[in-house]
Amino acid sequence: MIILQHLWIIPLLPLLGAAVNGLFGKHWSHRAINAVALGTTGLSFAATLELVREFRHLSADQVPWIQFYFTWIVAGNFRAGFDLQVDQLAIVMLLVVTGVGWIIHIYSIGYMAHQDGYYRFFSFLNLFMFFMLILVLAANYVLLFVGWEGVGLCSYLLIGFYFLKQSAVVAGKKAFIVNRIGDFGFLLGMFLIFWSFGTLDFKPVFDNVVGMPAEGFGQFGLMTGIALLLLGGACGKSAQVPLYVWLPDAMEGPTPVSALIHAATMVAAGVYVVARSHVIFIHAPTAMLVVAMIGAVTALYAATIALTQTDIKRVLAYSTISQLGYMFLACGVGAFAAGIFHLMTHAFFKALLFLAAGSVIHALGGLQELPQMGGLRKKIPWTYWTMLMGTLAIAGAPFFSGFFSKDLILFQSFASPYGGRVLWFLGIATALLTSFYMFRLIFLTFFGKPRYDEHVVHVHESPLNMIAPLVVLALLAVGGGWMAAPALWGGADHFEEYLAPVFESSQALVEQATLGQVHSSLHDVALEHSLMYAAIAVAIVGFLLAWFLYVRRPGISARLADRLRVLYTLLRNKYYVDELYDFAFVRPLNWISTRLLWQTVDARGIDGSVNGLAHVAQRFGQQVRLLQSGNARSYAAWVVLGAAAFTSLLLWMTVR
């Protein structure tokens, strides 16, 4: 029970790595930096595996396992402690963060080998893992918020890692500011929780909520208010409409950053918070509908934008936004376990896709535009086959990891009492587009004739320390979802069973709502198979359409884009949302800051009043100094005049 008693070991190890490399790494060799960065994160992963073994021996009444270490904030009746907890949900998240994080650290050794600021990169990467682990292990909203803000800070540092590049600096600031907008709502939600329950510790808050009646649909009560405020923070961190605009620009950071922060961990934080707060959300059906609609709309919306993007990393960025929408859709229809299941499988195949994209960029000497690629299938075969595995997984090819999690989400969105046909249709349409744009990426990158200058670009396969992580992630992308496979034949979904104790209270409310329906199809295997076949069919259609347009008849795509120029331009420019935000918010705020607050209030008002008083004092002093003429008779005259005036004043006061 060593790790269970000392949970702080898991986050402390990456923090030590960040501190050591940050303070001393500048003067060290790459080998020494690697030893610290990989050693601390590897030990953290090993500690997590030991935690999983120890956790199996706990009885049901010991879960969640909470460790109270020390109180770090006390104000009146408010207490915030450095308290860590572990349950089945935390176990899944810990394995994803430490396992995938460690693999990405290994990949980074090869990818960042010739980059400046090598020690700084690994220090930031380790620091990010520390804050993410604090977020996952926190037993109260205050400590969770520390991790929440910490990953936001590290995201800013890593996105803007190339700080001499203006676009990277702007992207880092954009990510930081957009996340702060969502975090304002998250803070208000925390304040409302404390005002309502007198604590921010998970267990007493959730225990109190369980005993409360669920609010009616369309009712905006306490639970709905808290849930919507927490959702605001989740939308910012997990890049959901309307706070998604920071994530595509975040591709300015190094590719391993994209894989770790914007595919496997940080962007999943919003989904994790919704799942962790499932008791609150399930008591607010109105908020659940909002979560589901935001997720479904975001999934389809981002998928349409990905259709026309030409930067390989931006295609994957919009794909990430779309897949996060799937997770929110699952949580919104009450299928929290399905949402976490997709979070896990997505971490496998999306980290793989980003790292494979980095391998392609490495092979082409920095080229990222799809129109400048082509014909790479036989030149970098390891990258091609592993990236193909990730593509099949995200497209929902049968028996790949993404197939199981996506199938479960689509089924629940149709059959759940919180779902419906509209949500299912948005989800299935997204599946079609996902298959199309991902195979479009594969065909433009690896098939056809080379569209780069072969005399300038010397294509080469990536080194072993980059290929090995791709192979491991490819295996996870293929087999990472098989825990749910028996459910397809009426058996048990082992992943859902594992998380069942965490979501037990919310599942009870879902089943109560289901029992109220005349024809319940929540566990209808025949219906699930029908919906599964529909998902497979649209995935095949997406593949065939991409094959026809980019392999069989590649010229048609250009003519089609020209014929649908208005729609293509709209999608290519991302619906002009960035321009709209710039016009509606950025420019007015800049004008208010510059013209009103700076030039008017600060410069003319505050500085003007201070400078005006100084000017008056200066002019008065200049006039008074004229009295100092150096003429003794003049001084005597002033003395006599003053004495006469003073005497006259005394006589006047006496007579009065």
Side-chain angles (χ1 to χ4, degrees):
M1 304 284 282
I2 296 176
I3 303 299
L4 278 172
Q5 296 291 344
H6 305 285
L7 292 173
W8 50 267
I9 292 176
I10 296 176
L12 178 65
L13 287 166
L15 179 62
L16 288 176
V20 171
N21 274 336
L23 293 174
F24 309 109
K26 185 176 182 179
H27 306 290
W28 287 356
S29 66
H30 284 193
R31 181 172 295 181
I33 295 170
N34 297 341
V36 173
L38 268 67
T40 53
T41 53
L43 286 173
S44 182
F45 179 47
T48 300
L49 294 177
E50 171 60 19
L51 174 65
V52 173
R53 188 190 68 81
E54 295 177 6
F55 184 81
R56 294 174 58 188
H57 299 293
L58 294 178
S59 58
D61 60 341
Q62 292 179 295
V63 180
W65 177 270
I66 304 175
Q67 289 292 294
F68 303 94
Y69 292 109
F70 59 87
T71 299
W72 59 292
I73 298 178
V74 177
N77 62 344
F78 173 74
R79 174 197 173 273
F82 187 83
D83 307 330
L84 304 181
Q85 76 167 36
V86 172
D87 59 5
Q88 290 84 350
L89 175 58
I91 289 289
V92 173
M93 294 297 298
L94 286 173
L95 288 171
V96 169
V97 174
T98 58
V100 177
W102 188 51
I103 292 172
I104 293 172
H105 273 71
I106 297 172
Y107 176 94
S108 300
I109 293 175
Y111 191 87
M112 300 296 294
H114 305 292
Q115 299 289 335
D116 294 332
Y118 189 82
Y119 78 98
R120 182 166 49 89
F121 175 81
F122 279 100
S123 178
F124 292 163
L125 216 59
N126 279 28
L127 186 63
F128 168 81
M129 283 193 62
F130 161 73
F131 280 120
M132 190 67 198
L133 291 170
I134 288 293
L135 188 156
V136 170
L137 287 169
N140 57 67
Y141 281 104
V142 180
L143 189 58
L144 182 149
F145 192 70
V146 172
W148 186 269
E149 290 298 286
V151 295
L153 170 64
C154 293
S155 176
Y156 164 75
L157 295 173
L158 286 165
I159 294 169
F161 178 77
Y162 301 122
F163 56 84
L164 296 178
K165 186 179 177 183
Q166 183 62 25
S167 58
V169 174
V170 172
K173 290 191 293 185
K174 185 176 183 180
F176 193 82
I177 293 170
V178 173
N179 273 273
R180 297 296 75 72
I181 295 172
D183 293 349
F184 178 70
F186 193 92
L187 273 173
L188 292 179
M190 289 172 56
F191 295 154
L192 190 54
I193 291 173
F194 179 74
W195 178 78
S196 304
F197 303 105
T199 181
L200 287 170
D201 292 340
F202 291 151
K203 194 173 189 313
V205 169
F206 298 155
D207 287 346
N208 281 319
V209 175
V210 167
M212 299 171 62
E215 296 174 358
F217 183 77
Q219 179 182 353
F220 290 86
L222 175 64
M223 291 297 100
T224 302
I226 293 174
L228 292 178
L229 289 171
L230 295 179
L231 176 62
C235 285
K237 198 67 70 183
S238 291
Q240 297 295 285
V241 170
L243 300 178
Y244 71 94
V245 291
W246 65 272
L247 194 144
D249 291 352
M251 298 303 108
E252 292 290 342
T255 299
V257 173
S258 304
L260 178 63
I261 298 182
H262 307 118
T265 50
M266 173 185 159
V267 292
V271 181
Y272 169 76
V273 165
V274 173
R276 175 60 71 193
S277 308
H278 63 97
V279 177
I280 294 175
F281 280 87
I282 206 70
H283 279 75
T286 304
M288 293 283 285
L289 177 62
V290 174
V291 173
M293 287 303 300
I294 285 178
V297 170
T298 300
L300 183 60
Y301 172 81
T304 60
I305 297 177
L307 296 174
T308 59
Q309 299 304 301
T310 56
D311 185 305
I312 188 171
K313 288 175 66 177
R314 282 188 176 268
V315 173
L316 296 178
Y318 281 104
S319 171
T320 297
I321 299 172
S322 181
Q323 296 303 307
L324 289 166
Y326 265 120
M327 300 174 207
F328 272 80
L329 171 61
C331 292
V333 299
F336 297 101
I340 297 300
F341 189 24
H342 196 59
L343 183 155
M344 183 187 73
T345 60
H346 177 262
F348 299 152
F349 60 70
K350 186 53 64 66
L352 168 61
L353 289 169
F354 267 115
L355 296 185
S359 183
V360 171
I361 295 169
H362 178 270
L364 294 174
L367 293 178
Q368 294 187 201
E369 291 293 320
L370 294 174
Q372 297 176 352
M373 298 182 184
L376 298 176
R377 180 163 48 100
K378 295 182 179 179
K379 295 183 178 181
I380 47 174
W382 285 97
T383 300
Y384 164 68
W385 284 107
T386 53
M387 196 168 194
L388 181 61
M389 296 300 102
T391 300
L392 290 169
I394 193 174
F399 309 117
F400 283 75
S401 61
F403 165 76
F404 295 104
S405 57
K406 187 178 292 187
D407 173 70
L408 186 58
I409 291 174
L410 290 173
F411 170 63
Q412 296 284 13
S413 67
F414 186 94
S416 169
Y418 296 93
R421 295 185 178 182
V422 173
L423 294 175
W424 175 83
F425 176 78
L426 294 175
I428 200 72
T430 302
L432 170 64
L433 298 182
T434 301
S435 177
F436 173 78
Y437 69 68
M438 284 307 306
F439 280 107
R440 167 182 175 265
L441 182 150
I442 289 291
F443 293 142
L444 287 176
T445 303
F446 296 101
F447 287 75
K449 296 180 180 180
R451 295 182 296 277
Y452 51 87
D453 190 342
E454 295 185 77
H455 299 289
V456 177
V457 179
H458 302 287
V459 179
H460 55 284
E461 186 63 276
S462 299
L464 180 62
N465 52 17
M466 292 175 64
I467 293 299
L470 296 183
V471 173
V472 173
L473 289 171
L475 293 175
L476 291 172
V478 173
W482 274 86
M483 290 175 288
L488 296 178
W489 296 277
D493 183 335
H494 297 301
F495 187 88
E496 187 175 4
E497 284 187 345
Y498 183 73
L499 290 180
V502 178
F503 302 119
E504 184 178 6
S505 57
S506 59
Q507 187 61 33
L509 285 177
V510 173
E511 290 177 358
Q512 288 177 15
T514 304
L515 292 174
Q517 297 179 348
V518 178
H519 299 288
S520 172
S521 52
L522 188 61
H523 301 289
D524 190 339
V525 176
L527 174 63
E528 182 173 7
H529 285 176
S530 299
L531 297 176
M532 178 185 69
Y533 296 143
I536 294 173
V538 298
I540 293 174
V541 170
F543 162 77
L544 292 176
L545 187 59
W547 174 81
F548 181 77
L549 291 178
Y550 296 100
V551 177
R552 184 74 176 85
R553 302 287 295 274
I556 292 182
S557 60
R559 293 197 297 270
L560 188 62
D562 186 64
R563 183 171 299 178
L564 303 174
R565 184 177 304 173
V566 175
L567 178 60
Y568 180 83
T569 303
L570 183 65
L571 297 179
R572 187 74 178 83
N573 289 279
K574 302 159 288 187
Y575 295 97
Y576 296 96
V577 171
D578 284 301
E579 290 79 2
L580 176 62
Y581 282 3
D582 183 69
F583 176 78
F585 301 108
V586 178
R587 291 184 184 180
L589 287 174
N590 281 338
W591 185 89
I592 292 172
S593 300
T594 303
R595 297 295 181 86
L596 181 61
L597 298 179
W598 171 31
Q599 296 179 354
T600 302
V601 176
D602 191 9
R604 297 178 185 174
I606 299 174
D607 289 350
S609 60
V610 173
N611 294 336
L613 289 174
H615 182 69
V616 170
Q618 183 183 30
R619 292 295 299 272
F620 179 74
Q622 289 175 347
Q623 296 299 320
V624 172
R625 65 186 287 271
L626 297 177
L627 299 177
Q628 300 293 331
S629 62
N631 190 327
R633 282 194 284 180
S634 174
Y635 295 161
W638 282 112
V639 170
V640 172
L641 182 60
F646 185 68
T647 303
S648 300
L649 178 62
L650 290 176
L651 291 173
W652 178 77
M653 293 178 65
T654 303
V655 173
R656 185 182 176 194

